[in-house]
Amino acid sequence: MAGSGEQAVRRRARLAALLTDASTGALGAAGGRVAGVYLRSGTPGLLRLAALVGLPGPLFRPWWRLHIGRPFPVADAYRLGTQVVLPNATETMRRYPQFAAGLPFPFGSVHVPVPGGAEPLGVLTVLRPAVADTLDELLDRDRLARLAEGLGAELLGLADGDESAVVWDGEPLCVRPPASRPVQAAVGRFSWDPATSVVRANDRLQALLGLPAGRFPRTVAEFAEAVAPADAHRILAALRDAAAGRPPGAPLSVRSREGAPRLVDLWPTADGAAASVGGVVLDPGPAASADAAADLLPQGVFCLDRLGVIVYANPAAARLAGREREKLLGHALWDAMPWLAGPPYDDHLRGALLSPEPVHFPVRRPAAARDEAGDGDWLAVSVHPGADLLTCTLAPTSRMGTGAEPTAGPQLPQLPEVQDAVAAGHSTAPLYRPIALAIALTDAVTARQVSAVVMQELLPAFGGRRLAIYLLQDRHLYLAWETGFPQGFLAPFEGVGLDAHLPGVETLTTGRPLFFESMQQLAAAYPGIPLDAHEGARAFLPLIASGRPVGSCILGFDRPRGFSTDERTVLTALAGLIAHAMERAQRYDSEAALARGLQQALLPRRLSAHPRVETAGRYLPGTQGMDVGGDWYDVVESGDGLALVIGDVQGHGVQAAATMGQLRSAVRAFALGDRPPDEVLSGTNHLLIDLDPGQFATCCYLRLDPATGRVRIARAGHPPPLLRSPDGSTRLLDIPGGVVLGVDPAARYPVTEVLLESDAILALYTDGLVERPGADIDEGITALRQALARVGAAAGRRGGRSLAGVADRLTATARHATDRPDDVALLLAARRPPPHA
C-alpha cells in the first residue's frame, strides 16, 4: 500500500495488525495450527503470502507465491469467490494432487476468499488437523466468512477505498500463534505509543519488575532500562521496528539487572488511526527448575516454538550440535543448525508442525559438530509435536537401543546404506518425489516446460546443481535444456552420434543408468572426457519411453557423493516419467507446428480495402494447451460494399484450425455472392452440420455500404460488436442473435441495421479478449468498451488515421500476458469522410 513518511509507517503497522488479527482469529474459527493471508501482488494474476501464523516462514517458502490459474485450493478460492474446505489428506489428494504431493502429511485445510470490489483482495487460509469427514464441530464457516469480510472492509478502508492499492509484494509477516494454555512463568503486558513515547503496563509487569505501585516508567527509554539495563538499546531498536510493521521474528532474549534471563516479545497493534506496539515481558521463574532437570539428561534435547526458534537446549544438545548454548537459544533452527535445513529435513519439520505424529530421521553432522567422544558422524533425530512447542531429541546412532534414546522403529534406518545415501550435506529424496514430479509433468506440454519441471522438482530433491537434457533426433543427441554448467562447456557434445564413447550416449544405447560418485571415477571410466571445474558426482539417466529411445538426462552435483540403492531406483523411475513426458511433448511440438502453419496460412495476409473504409485486424494465439485455436477474421469485397466477419471455432489444435479454414472459405464464398447476412450464417450453419466435425462455432457477420454507412449485422452466439461514435460515446450494440453454428439446422439469424457515421469505429472481437478466469464476461466487455473510448479519442486527436495503432493498444495487455488461456482476435473498421469533405 502506498504512503509516505510517518503516515506510511503507521499504515504499514496497521496493515500488519489487521493481517495478524485475521490469521490468529482464523486459527480459533477452524481449530487450526497454521493460518495465513494471501493478498494480490503488483504482478497481475499472482498472489503473495502476506502473513503466516504458526509455521516458520522458510518452511513455507515454496508457497509464498501462487498464480491464480494454478490447480491449488488458494487459487480456486480466489478465482471462484467461494470457500474451499479439504477435511483430510485423501480429499486433498483427490481434488488438488499437486498441493497434496508438496505437503504429504495428514492434515486438512480451509481457504476463504477475502472480498473486495470486482474481485477478491486475497484469501484467508488455515491448515488444521485432519478429520474423517466434512462434519466438524471445530470448523465455524460463518465465523471464518465474517473474519474474511471484516478483513476486506478494513483493507479497503486503509486504502481509502482504492481496491488496486491493496497489494503485497514483500516477504510474509511471520507471527507466533497464541499459546494454547496459560503460561506458568511470570508474564506482564505493556503497550507503547510511538507518538507520545508513553508506556502503559498492567499490574503483573509492575510486580515482575519490582516497582512500587504508581512508580512505573512513563517513557520508553526508562522502560527499556527497567527491563534489561544491559540490553536497553536492543529493546528500543526492536520497538521502533515493530512500530514500523516489522516485528522481530523471535522473542528478544535479555538479562535482568540481576542477570536472570528474560524474554521480550513484541507485535504491532492498532488503536483507531494510530499505530502502537504491544508486548509482554516473560520471566521464566519456576520453569527454570524444569530446564535444570532436562539439563541432566544424557541425550540431546531442544525445543522449538512454532516459528522455528530454539527456546531451550540442554548441554548434550549443544555438544552434539557443536555449538555453545548461547548460540542456540533465541536463534532459528536453520541458523543455529544449518545441517538440519533443506530437503528432506524441511519436509520432516513441516510434518511435525502440521500433524500430530512424531517424525524420526537420521542426519549426518558436519565436521565442525563432531567430537572425540566416540559419538560418530550420524545422529538419530526425533521430533515430537506439541500445540505450542516441538520437542526434539538427538542421539548418536552408536547409542541407539542402549537406553540413551528409544529406537525409532522402521522410520529410522540404521543400515550402512543410509549413510552411503547422504554425503556431506546432501540428502535423500523424499519418497513422494516421484508422485510430485509425475503430477507436475501432467501440466507440461512442451519440451521446454518438461525440462523446467524437472529442474524445479528433481534437482532440489537430490541436492543437484546442474541439469542437462539431450533429445535424440536422426541418431544424434541435441541439447534441449541445461542449467548450472559453465558457459560453453556443453558445446562440444552438441549433435554427437550414437557411436560416440560418452556416458550420455551409452546410457541411452544400453538402457542402463550410470552413476559416478566423483569426477575421478568418471575420468577413469571415460579417459580424455572433458571435465568441468566442479569435482562432484554425476548421474546419467536414459530417457526411454514405450521401448523407444528419447534422449538422456544428466544430473550434476557440487561434491562427491554416493547413490544408495533406493536413490538409484527412484532416479531410474523418474527418468521413465521424464521420457514419457518428453515423448508426449515431441508429439505436441509436431502437431503444434502443423496447426500454427495451418492457422497462418488460413488467416488473411491482407484485408480487402475500400477508399472510404479503413480496417485493422489482430490475432494472438493462446499460451495454454495447443497454443493454436479456431479464431478467425476476414474482410471480403461484397458487391459494391465490404463484408466483415469474425468467428471462433470451439477447441484448439489442428482440428479446430482445419474447421476454421472450411468455415472461412464458406463465408467468403457467400460474401462474394453478396448474400444477405442471415443467409450467410444459415448457409454456413448447414455446412458445419453436414461436415459433422463434432465442433460448433460462433460468428458475427456484417455487410457495410461505404457510401451511406448502412451496416446490416447478424450474429450466431458471438459477443455483440462495440461502436464508438465520433463524439466519443461508446456503446455495446444491442443486436439479437441466433444459436451457435453447427447445432440446429432450423436456426434463424435475425438481421439488425445500424448507421456507421464518418470517423466512427466498429469493433468485432472474440471472447479471448474479454474473458478472465473467475470474472463475468460482461466485466471484460465493459473494460474493452472503456478502452476503446480512450484510445479512440487519442486516434481522433491524431487526425483519425491510426486504426492500426488503436488495434495494437486494445490488444496490448493480452499481447504482453504470459498466460493467455484462449486465442484473441480483433477486427476494427472505420468509415472515413469523402475526399472533398
Side-chain angles (χ1 to χ4, degrees):
M1 298 192 180
S4 61
E6 184 179 349
Q7 183 180 4
V9 171
R10 289 181 176 275
R11 182 171 292 184
R12 181 170 178 82
R14 172 66 174 162
L15 174 61
L18 290 174
L19 297 174
T20 300
D21 290 347
S23 301
T24 53
L27 289 176
R33 295 193 171 188
V34 178
V37 178
Y38 284 88
L39 293 179
R40 295 181 302 193
S41 70
T43 302
L46 186 70
L47 301 177
R48 292 189 70 114
L49 185 64
L52 181 65
V53 175
L55 192 68
L59 289 186
F60 210 66
R61 186 179 293 273
W63 298 273
W64 281 10
R65 295 155 46 100
L66 285 177
H67 194 279
I68 61 173
R70 299 295 293 165
F72 281 82
V74 169
D76 275 2
Y78 180 88
R79 284 198 329 272
L80 303 176
T82 60
Q83 289 190 17
V84 176
V85 179
L86 303 170
N88 48 48
T90 301
E91 184 69 8
T92 305
M93 176 61 80
R94 184 183 71 81
R95 295 176 58 184
Y96 300 97
Q98 285 195 35
F99 180 56
L103 292 166
F105 316 115
F107 73 96
S109 60
V110 186
H111 312 269
V112 185
V114 177
E119 61 184 59
L121 302 176
V123 176
L124 179 62
T125 186
V126 186
L127 308 181
R128 57 199 301 270
V131 294
D133 51 42
T134 56
L135 298 177
D136 180 5
E137 294 181 357
L138 294 179
L139 178 59
D140 190 338
R141 291 196 184 203
D142 292 339
R143 184 181 168 196
L144 281 171
R146 290 194 300 272
L147 280 170
E149 291 170 1
L151 176 60
E154 293 279 7
L155 291 174
L156 287 176
L158 192 60
D160 296 326
D162 182 5
E163 182 181 346
S164 64
V166 184
V167 295
W168 186 275
D169 284 309
E171 294 188 358
L173 298 170
C174 296
V175 182
R176 189 169 289 96
S180 62
R181 55 178 177 240
V183 178
Q184 296 303 313
V187 178
R189 292 186 172 273
F190 69 91
S191 64
W192 171 54
D193 183 354
T196 62
S197 193
V198 171
V199 179
R200 293 181 175 85
N202 64 3
D203 293 340
R204 287 190 177 186
L205 180 55
Q206 230 168 262
L208 186 154
L209 297 178
L211 298 173
R215 293 282 303 276
F216 189 79
R218 298 291 295 174
T219 70
V220 68
E222 294 172 346
F223 164 72
E225 181 74 18
V227 173
D231 298 298
H233 63 289
R234 294 176 56 216
I235 296 175
L236 290 173
L239 284 166
R240 287 192 292 268
D241 285 345
R246 300 186 301 271
L252 297 178
S253 180
V254 298
R255 295 281 177 177
S256 69
R257 193 178 301 276
E258 294 76 23
R262 278 178 177 160
L263 293 177
V264 180
D265 203 2
L266 308 172
W267 58 85
T269 64
D271 182 12
S276 61
V277 176
V280 297
V281 177
L282 183 146
D283 192 333
S289 61
D291 291 352
D295 285 352
L296 302 177
L297 295 176
Q299 69 265 39
V301 179
F302 64 95
C303 297
L304 306 173
D305 70 5
R306 294 195 67 84
L307 290 188
V309 175
I310 300 174
V311 296
Y312 168 76
N314 71 352
R319 178 177 56 79
L320 291 171
R323 303 290 298 272
E324 298 175 1
R325 289 178 78 179
E326 291 73 16
K327 294 183 179 179
L328 296 179
L329 296 176
H331 294 274
L333 176 67
W334 31 90
D335 294 329
M337 303 181 191
W339 37 276
L340 269 177
Y345 310 122
D346 286 355
D347 297 313
H348 295 312
L349 291 173
R350 277 192 289 262
L353 286 160
L354 293 175
S355 63
E357 298 300 321
V359 295
H360 313 277
F361 54 92
V363 62
R364 188 178 186 181
R365 293 186 294 166
R370 301 171 198 166
D371 52 44
E372 299 178 358
D375 287 335
D377 296 346
W378 290 82
L379 296 176
V381 181
S382 295
V383 183
H384 300 270
D388 302 318
L389 297 175
L390 298 183
T391 301
C392 311
T393 61
L394 302 174
T397 53
S398 59
R399 296 184 185 177
M400 288 179 60
T402 65
E405 168 71 8
T407 56
Q411 297 187 68
L412 185 56
Q414 303 174 50
L415 301 177
E417 65 185 43
V418 174
Q419 300 181 11
D420 294 337
V422 183
H426 295 299
S427 62
T428 57
L431 293 179
Y432 68 86
R433 188 57 61 179
I435 303 173
L437 181 62
I439 294 170
L441 285 174
T442 60
D443 289 338
V445 293
T446 67
R448 188 171 186 82
Q449 289 171 345
V450 170
S451 301
V453 167
V454 174
M455 181 185 71
Q456 295 164 1
E457 294 288 340
L458 190 60
L459 286 185
F462 290 87
R465 293 294 183 268
R466 278 163 289 285
L467 170 71
I469 295 179
Y470 285 85
L471 296 181
L472 182 64
Q473 183 178 353
D474 298 329
R475 296 186 58 79
H476 289 76
L477 288 172
Y478 295 94
L479 186 65
W481 180 279
E482 66 94 7
T483 184
F485 286 95
Q487 186 174 4
F489 173 74
L490 297 176
F493 305 103
E494 180 70 3
V496 297
L498 294 185
D499 55 350
H501 182 56
L502 293 169
V505 173
E506 293 194 10
T507 190
L508 180 61
T509 56
T510 63
R512 292 186 298 105
L514 301 174
F515 298 95
F516 300 95
E517 298 183 0
S518 67
M519 297 298 277
Q520 290 78 11
Q521 280 190 5
L522 177 60
Y526 294 88
I529 187 173
L531 303 175
D532 62 39
H534 297 280
E535 295 292 323
R538 292 289 184 271
F540 296 84
L541 308 175
L543 303 182
I544 299 175
S546 305
R548 297 189 303 171
V550 175
S552 301
C553 178
I554 304 170
L555 298 179
F557 303 85
D558 281 343
R559 291 177 286 179
R561 60 159 292 167
F563 296 91
S564 69
T565 302
D566 286 343
E567 277 192 307
R568 293 173 187 237
T569 301
V570 169
L571 283 170
T572 303
L574 293 176
L577 293 175
I578 298 167
H580 281 283
M582 279 296 184
E583 183 184 47
R584 186 180 69 246
Q586 288 177 316
R587 289 197 303 266
Y588 163 85
D589 288 338
S590 298
E591 185 177 351
L594 175 62
R596 278 192 295 270
L598 183 58
Q599 179 87 13
Q600 293 300 320
L602 293 174
L603 285 172
R605 295 184 181 276
R606 66 177 184 84
L607 301 177
S608 297
H610 188 281
R612 294 285 308 277
V613 179
E614 182 183 1
T615 58
R618 296 292 183 268
Y619 169 77
L620 301 171
T623 59
Q624 297 179 0
M626 186 49 65
D627 289 346
V628 179
D631 290 21
W632 92 94
Y633 61 86
D634 207 352
V635 179
V636 187
E637 295 181 11
S638 182
D640 57 356
L642 288 179
L644 288 81
V645 60
I646 194 164
D648 183 1
V649 177
Q650 172 210 22
H652 294 81
V654 174
Q655 180 63 49
T659 301
M660 178 271 285
Q662 292 171 311
L663 295 185
R664 176 174 177 267
S665 298
V667 171
R668 285 185 68 89
F670 288 127
L672 289 170
D674 201 14
R675 304 279 291 276
D678 55 337
E679 293 185 19
V680 172
L681 291 186
S682 294
T684 307
N685 179 49
H686 283 103
L687 173 66
L688 186 57
I689 292 173
D690 291 341
L691 290 173
D692 192 22
Q695 295 172 303
F696 59 83
T698 68
C699 185
C700 184
Y701 180 95
L702 62 88
R703 204 273 190 188
L704 168 63
D705 184 342
T708 65
R710 179 170 174 252
V711 181
R712 304 182 70 229
I713 309 173
R715 64 186 185 98
H718 201 85
L722 292 169
L723 178 64
R724 184 187 187 280
S725 301
D727 63 2
S729 60
T730 307
R731 61 192 175 94
L732 185 70
L733 295 180
D734 185 13
I735 299 172
V739 299
V740 295
L741 304 176
V743 175
D744 180 9
R748 295 292 181 265
Y749 301 96
V751 177
T752 301
E753 185 171 314
V754 298
L755 180 64
L756 184 64
E757 301 176 76
S758 295
D759 287 335
I761 299 175
L762 190 66
L764 307 179
Y765 51 93
T766 57
D767 55 10
L769 187 60
V770 293
E771 278 191 326
R772 298 291 181 273
D776 192 276
I777 190 172
D778 290 339
E779 297 176 9
I781 293 175
T782 299
L784 179 62
R785 178 180 60 78
Q786 294 170 345
L788 178 61
R790 291 192 299 270
V791 300
R797 289 193 297 270
R798 290 190 296 268
R801 296 296 178 184
S802 56
L803 204 60
V806 173
D808 288 336
R809 293 282 297 278
L810 293 178
T811 56
T813 301
R815 187 167 59 253
H816 293 112
T818 58
D819 188 9
R820 284 193 302 272
D822 199 1
D823 299 8
V824 171
L826 174 70
L827 179 60
L828 302 179
R831 180 169 163 263
R832 299 308 181 193
H836 63 275

